[in-house]
Amino acid sequence: TANLDHLKLDDGETFQLTHPFKDEEETSSSSFFFFNSAPEPIKFKFKQKHLAFNPHLFFRVIQDVNSYPLFISNMPACHADPASKYESQTSAHIVKGGFLAPTRIGFNAISFDYTSKVTYCHPTLPVNLAARRRSLLWKVTTVSEGGSRIFTSLTSEWVIRADPNSIERNCCIVDY
């Protein structure tokens, strides 16, 4: 039995999402740890998951930072700053955009505030998964630097692709 959540995005779109990482064996395409003296970054495992989700809907969940406090227990506040939001179609098939996301992490009386610069790209809509499944790519990158007592720099990246080996159209490969 999987836990189910109903997520509502900023534009009012609602869909059901199972918790894809719960009770699943992790696969690691590369595993490396570097422990350096500050301020060099510490790199963590790079993971890859094959999920039974539509790639664009999974991208929308990752991109929708306003909903993070609903399913990330130690993140009481996070939102996309509407004044910083931009988006443009950079080619016939690609849309790129970004925004600033003020965030608070912590619990009880201990919390930390920082601002992330979020950038993303996705195929133009509508997406034809059958015709272009091998060339489609969704990406969300978050960079947070300075302004926090717990880290000097934090970068995360999610890359979502349509699963080319899946007969079903609603399967994706997620690298994070």
Side-chain angles (χ1 to χ4, degrees), residues 128-146:
N128 185 344
L129 288 176
R132 297 178 46 215
R133 92 180 290 105
R134 291 190 186 278
S135 65
L136 295 172
L137 181 77
W138 293 258
K139 185 175 177 182
V140 178
T141 304
T142 304
V143 177
S144 307
E145 294 189 12

Side-chain angles (χ1 to χ4, degrees), residues 15 30 122 132 172:
F15 62 96
S30 68
H122 63 83
R132 297 178 46 215
C172 64

Side-chain angles (χ1 to χ4, degrees), residues 89-123:
Q89 187 167 339
T90 59
S91 72
H93 302 288
I94 301 292
V95 174
K96 291 185 178 183
F99 52 87
L100 296 176
T103 304
R104 173 172 290 143
I105 59 172
F107 52 93
N108 297 332
I110 301 170
S111 65
F112 303 95
D113 295 315
Y114 62 94
T115 300
S116 296
K117 179 181 178 187
V118 179
T119 57
Y120 60 86
C121 68
H122 63 83

Side-chain angles (χ1 to χ4, degrees), residues 43-58:
K43 295 187 178 184
F44 295 96
K45 289 184 180 181
F46 172 82
K47 298 178 183 175
Q48 184 176 82
K49 299 280 186 185
H50 293 257
L51 303 171
F53 292 105
N54 176 290
H56 189 74
L57 291 180
F58 194 83

Side-chain angles (χ1 to χ4, degrees), residues 5-74:
D5 285 326
H6 295 278
L7 296 178
K8 186 172 184 178
L9 303 176
D10 287 340
D11 62 2
E13 183 179 354
T14 301
F15 62 96
Q16 197 171 36
L17 174 71
T18 59
H19 295 277
F21 308 123
K22 184 176 176 131
D23 300 327
E24 183 180 9
E25 186 174 309
E26 294 182 0
T27 58
S28 179
S29 58
S30 68
S31 177
F32 53 91
F33 289 88
F34 296 101
F35 295 100
N36 298 316
S37 59
E40 293 297 319
I42 298 173
K43 295 187 178 184
F44 295 96
K45 289 184 180 181
F46 172 82
K47 298 178 183 175
Q48 184 176 82
K49 299 280 186 185
H50 293 257
L51 303 171
F53 292 105
N54 176 290
H56 189 74
L57 291 180
F58 194 83
F59 162 79
R60 295 288 306 272
V61 170
I62 302 303
Q63 179 198 23
D64 183 18
V65 299
N66 293 337
S67 69
Y68 283 15
L70 299 174
F71 59 91
I72 300 176
S73 59
N74 292 330

